[in-house]
Each structure stands twice: as structure tokens, then as C-alpha cells.
Amino acid sequence: MRVNRILLSSALVVVALVIQVSVLARLHLPGAVPDLLLLTVLGLAMVYGHVGGALVGFGAGLLADLAPPADHAAGRYALVLCVTGYFAGLIRPENGRLKSVTGPMAVVVAAAIGSTLLYAGVGALVGDTAARHVGLSGLLFSAALYDLLLAPFVVPGVMWLARRSDNDPLTETGPAAKAGDISSGWLSSGTGLRVGGQRGGLGSLKAKARTRSARVGRIKGVKRL
């Protein structure tokens, strides 16, 4: 990942984790807790792709595993967000722009349900049976509902920031830089001269014209003699 992606992802993940732990977790809503960290990973994955989404998800999940008041085994949420970020990044279009909100909303619902099931499944493997006491069906419904209500306020903003950081002219060497080469190619094909060397081309034309006029003058002089 590029430096600007790492810096932006780290800042967004830290802010999302702080808000989730200090605000959302203290609301004491029935069922699950709105997962702001999951929505942040989804927004970044739908711009950076499956590889970037997996890396961001693993880092965000590992940070959540180590941040207090985490009461589960370290690496558990990192695995969940890594898998979620990978699959969310698979729907990323070529230009990183989505044409409708139907796709992202479906991804949010699927990610909320899938991450809850995966988290509960990994917990069952390590002996954590907290989901049984709360009720898995209630957790799935509340997680999907809370994340779906919160997604319009989080995912579009995260995707916009991610796209804007990728379009930084100081660091971009991809499609935008190639677009400049393409535009210069159109200009050169219309004039027959290179864009960077138009002055030199005009100067050479003037020199040729002077040479021709000098030759004509010499020929006329010879004929007069």
C-alpha cells in the first residue's frame, strides 16, 4: 500500500475505534453494538480493492483486539475484519466509483451478518459462548439494522476521502498521469509537432525558409551575370 493510503487508513481506523469504544459502546442498545470500525473497513475496501481491504481489515481488527476494554482472544476480530475486507474489496469497480447505493447497502448487510456469524463461530472454537446467552438471531438482526442505519453517514464519506487521497497529483503515477500523456498525444497528432517542442519546430521552419530564400537570391544573381 502507498504511504497516503496507510496514513489515511490509520487515521480513520483510530477515529472509528475511539468513537465506537467511547460513544457507541456506552449507548447500551439492545442486541449488538453499531460497528463503526466495520463500516470504515468496508468503505476503504470498496476503493482500495480486496488486497488493500484485507490489509486494512487485519490492522483495524488487531487494534480492536488489543484496545481496552477488549475481553476476547487477540486476533479474533482481526481475522473477522480481514476476511470481511477481502470480500468487500472484490466488488470494487475499475475506477473505484460505485454507480448506485444498492450495492454498498447490500454489502453492509452481508458484512454485518457475515462478520457476526464468523465472530461467533471463532468464539465457539475458542470456548467463548457469550453469543448463546444473548441469542444469535437477535445479534444478527440488530447488527444488520444498526450498521444499515449508520452506513449512509459513514461509508460514502470514507470512500470520498479514500478516492481523494488516491487522486493526489503529487503521488499519483497511474491513470491520471497517463491521461496527461494521452492529451498531449492528441495535441501533437493535430499539429504535427511535439507539444514540448513547438518553439523549436517553428524555429526550424523559419530557418528553412531563410535558407530557401537565400538559394533563390543566389540563383537570380547567377542568371543576371
Side-chain angles (χ1 to χ4, degrees), residues 95-108:
N95 58 357
R97 298 177 182 271
L98 299 171
K99 297 181 179 180
S100 65
V101 298
T102 305
M105 293 300 102
V107 171
V108 169

Side-chain angles (χ1 to χ4, degrees), residues 16-28 33 37 61-74 76-77 119 128:
L17 182 61
V18 170
I19 295 176
Q20 182 168 334
V21 173
S22 60
V23 178
L24 298 179
R26 299 177 182 273
L27 296 178
H28 301 292
V33 176
L37 196 60
L62 186 61
L63 184 62
D65 288 332
L66 300 177
D71 56 352
H72 54 268
R76 181 177 170 185
Y77 201 48
Y119 187 82
D128 185 1

Side-chain angles (χ1 to χ4, degrees), residues 2-68:
R2 293 183 294 181
V3 177
N4 56 341
R5 288 188 175 187
I6 295 175
L7 295 177
L8 178 64
S9 301
S10 301
L12 292 177
V13 165
V14 170
V15 172
L17 182 61
V18 170
I19 295 176
Q20 182 168 334
V21 173
S22 60
V23 178
L24 298 179
R26 299 177 182 273
L27 296 178
H28 301 292
L29 298 174
V33 176
D35 201 338
L36 183 60
L37 196 60
L38 173 65
L39 297 178
T40 303
V41 171
L42 291 179
L44 293 173
M46 285 188 284
V47 177
Y48 294 161
H50 59 283
V51 176
L55 294 175
V56 172
F58 179 80
L62 186 61
L63 184 62
D65 288 332
L66 300 177

Side-chain angles (χ1 to χ4, degrees), residues 30-33 109 112-113 116-117 135-149:
V33 176
V109 174
I113 297 175
T116 304
L117 289 175
L136 185 58
S137 59
L139 282 177
L140 293 176
F141 177 77
S142 59
L145 178 62
Y146 297 154
D147 292 347
L148 188 60
L149 293 176

Side-chain angles (χ1 to χ4, degrees), residues 146-170:
Y146 297 154
D147 292 347
L148 188 60
L149 293 176
L150 190 60
F153 304 99
V154 178
V155 176
V158 171
M159 294 181 67
W160 180 80
L161 289 174
R163 287 196 300 262
R164 185 168 182 178
S165 67
D166 272 0
N167 293 333
D168 188 355
L170 296 178

Side-chain angles (χ1 to χ4, degrees), residues 73-94:
R76 181 177 170 185
Y77 201 48
L79 174 63
V80 172
L81 288 187
C82 180
V83 174
T84 304
Y86 177 83
F87 283 105
L90 292 177
I91 71 165
R92 172 186 177 272
E94 292 297 329

Side-chain angles (χ1 to χ4, degrees), residues 124-213:
L125 293 177
V126 297
D128 185 1
T129 59
R132 297 180 182 177
H133 302 288
V134 179
L136 185 58
S137 59
L139 282 177
L140 293 176
F141 177 77
S142 59
L145 178 62
Y146 297 154
D147 292 347
L148 188 60
L149 293 176
L150 190 60
F153 304 99
V154 178
V155 176
V158 171
M159 294 181 67
W160 180 80
L161 289 174
R163 287 196 300 262
R164 185 168 182 178
S165 67
D166 272 0
N167 293 333
D168 188 355
L170 296 178
T171 57
E172 186 170 353
T173 57
K178 293 180 180 178
D181 296 336
I182 294 172
S183 62
S184 64
W186 278 101
L187 291 174
S188 63
S189 63
T191 58
L193 301 173
R194 293 182 181 178
V195 175
Q198 286 184 355
R199 295 181 178 177
L202 293 176
S204 62
L205 290 177
K206 291 180 179 179
K208 290 180 181 179
R210 292 175 181 173
T211 303
R212 290 177 182 176
S213 61

